[in-house]
Amino acid sequence: MELADEPQEIPVYLFTGFLEAGKTKFIQETLCDKRFNRGERTLVLMCEEGEEELDPSAFPKKGRSVFLRTLDGEEDLTEQRLAQWQSELEIERVVVEYNGMWMLDSLYNAMPAGWTVYQEFMFADANTFINYNNNMRQLVFDKLQSCELVVFNRAPKGIDMTPYHKIIRAVNRRCDIAFEHPDGKVEYDETVDPLPFDINAPVVEIADRDYAIWYQDMGEEMKKYSGKTLKLHVQVASSPDLPRDTIIVGRQMMNCCAADVQFAGLAATGTDSALWQSGDWIFLTAKVRIGRHKAYSGAGPILEALVIEPAEPAAETVATFY
């Protein structure tokens, strides 16, 4: 029996941000750079119209290998349309100038098989970003959570980076942050973010206000917690599908807004699940082991209980980054 051909891998270079944030200018410069553009057949998806327009005549080979296509609305972003352009134009890669008012899931759900985001950059006007974040937090969060670089354009000299840094690090602890000044000079945010708890303490105590930061750090760098002893103030979530010696412990956690609150929990072993009901609050002292457990689809942190004490609910039952 013949196997079906694997779909062609199509690298996607994703540029996000709100209108007049500088995306078009950066894409123009990128496609003019012969180190990036050696004539590969490139589909450029334009998802909004700003003051600036791309000038394909300035690209290598006069832009004959670059194909611009415009999407008028989010409803036009369909897998059928993208697959049709891929086939008709025989493209090798895709550059997307994404509309800041569209959720990224609309793009991810429409990408044909084989399309893979290779790089993702977010652009913002330093003079309007704070207002965007205050008024459209969910859209800002959506663009920050998976980007590799945030570029703040039109940044005044001497700008206080602190409020920008705090907003970004509450969502994304790994991306780079750059401020481009009107004279073209670029300044990188090199602030070091110390964890708000002592990871080298004999017992690492996670305060209620620090649960979200700890949970995110555990997910990103779980190996550094292997063998550590933690003390957590958490809720119990029991499940009949788990072994009797296992409970799920965690907190309701909010990333950006009330609509995305969900339980952020981990498997804890070494207790009798019959002793606890879902919703119970406990103080858990446990040693961390990284391994496989039925609660996870792969390897994850397993909290081996040393002491479990009943507790009163936290003053703020939903953990946040603020």
Side-chain angles (χ1 to χ4, degrees):
M1 181 175 64
E2 293 186 1
L3 297 176
D5 293 336
E6 290 291 324
Q8 178 189 0
E9 184 173 39
I10 301 292
V12 177
Y13 299 89
L14 178 55
F15 301 86
T16 72
F18 298 98
L19 196 63
E20 309 306 331
K23 301 189 296 293
T24 304
K25 179 176 178 287
F26 191 88
I27 292 173
Q28 178 74 35
E29 294 172 352
T30 300
L31 289 173
C32 284
D33 189 339
K34 292 182 180 180
R35 293 171 298 179
F36 178 82
N37 188 359
R38 297 185 176 88
E40 296 91 337
R41 296 179 68 83
T42 304
L43 170 62
V44 180
L45 290 179
M46 310 295 294
C47 301
E48 63 185 6
E49 292 186 12
E51 290 184 4
E52 290 195 44
E53 295 183 358
L54 291 178
D55 177 14
S57 67
F59 301 158
K61 299 185 179 181
K62 302 294 184 183
R64 287 188 291 270
S65 59
V66 177
F67 307 95
L68 274 58
R69 295 293 183 271
T70 300
L71 294 167
D72 295 326
E74 195 169 0
E75 67 279 0
D76 296 328
L77 191 55
T78 65
E79 183 176 357
Q80 181 180 13
R81 186 184 300 272
L82 299 185
Q84 180 181 351
W85 284 337
Q86 176 183 346
S87 175
E88 289 177 352
L89 303 173
E90 298 180 343
I91 59 170
E92 300 172 84
R93 62 183 182 181
V94 177
V95 172
V96 182
E97 181 175 353
Y98 202 65
N99 191 316
M101 304 304 290
W102 302 356
M103 299 297 284
L104 281 174
D105 274 350
S106 297
L107 174 63
Y108 299 148
N109 293 334
M111 292 198 308
W115 287 34
T116 305
V117 175
Y118 269 33
Q119 290 183 311
E120 181 181 340
F121 303 143
M122 178 183 171
F123 293 82
D125 185 326
N127 302 288
T128 59
F129 175 76
I130 302 296
N131 283 335
Y132 270 111
N133 183 68
N134 290 339
N135 297 308
M136 294 185 287
R137 174 65 180 164
Q138 189 168 8
L139 287 169
V140 173
F141 176 89
D142 180 61
K143 308 305 179 296
L144 285 176
Q145 61 181 333
S146 55
C147 67
E148 301 164 45
L149 171 67
V150 179
V151 179
F152 288 107
N153 289 301
R154 309 178 185 96
K157 281 289 187 182
I159 186 172
D160 181 5
M161 299 181 184
T162 304
Y164 302 85
H165 179 93
K166 287 182 176 180
I167 291 169
I168 292 169
R169 287 293 177 254
V171 180
N172 186 327
R173 291 172 58 84
R174 292 181 174 273
C175 70
D176 293 320
I177 306 170
F179 292 81
E180 183 174 358
H181 301 295
D183 62 5
K185 292 184 179 179
V186 176
E187 185 178 5
Y188 282 88
D189 176 5
E190 298 180 349
T191 305
V192 176
D193 292 294
L195 292 169
F197 45 83
D198 183 2
I199 194 172
N200 294 313
V203 177
V204 184
E205 295 196 36
I206 309 301
D208 288 341
R209 66 178 179 273
D210 299 330
Y211 183 87
I213 293 173
W214 166 77
Y215 188 84
Q216 183 184 61
D217 194 57
M218 168 75 89
E220 293 176 348
E221 300 186 63
M222 68 173 73
K223 288 184 179 179
K224 78 181 182 186
Y225 288 92
S226 181
K228 300 288 185 180
T229 299
L230 307 175
K231 184 172 182 179
L232 305 166
H233 186 198
V234 287
Q235 276 187 291
V236 173
S238 59
S239 170
D241 297 327
L242 297 176
R244 181 157 180 169
D245 73 340
T246 299
I247 56 176
I248 301 299
V249 298
R251 298 282 295 273
Q252 295 290 335
M253 195 165 89
M254 179 173 72
N255 283 316
C256 75
C257 56
D260 80 344
V261 172
Q262 57 185 335
F263 192 76
L266 299 170
T269 63
T271 186
D272 185 347
S273 60
L275 298 174
W276 310 103
Q277 295 183 350
S278 291
D280 286 346
W281 282 86
I282 59 173
F283 285 114
L284 169 68
T285 303
K287 188 171 184 177
V288 180
R289 175 174 64 86
I290 308 302
R292 293 186 174 276
H293 191 278
K294 190 176 181 181
Y296 306 132
S297 57
I302 301 168
L303 307 179
E304 298 180 335
L306 302 175
V307 180
I308 302 180
E309 305 168 280
E312 293 296 317
E316 297 290 340
T317 57
V318 176
T320 72
F321 289 94
Y322 311 106

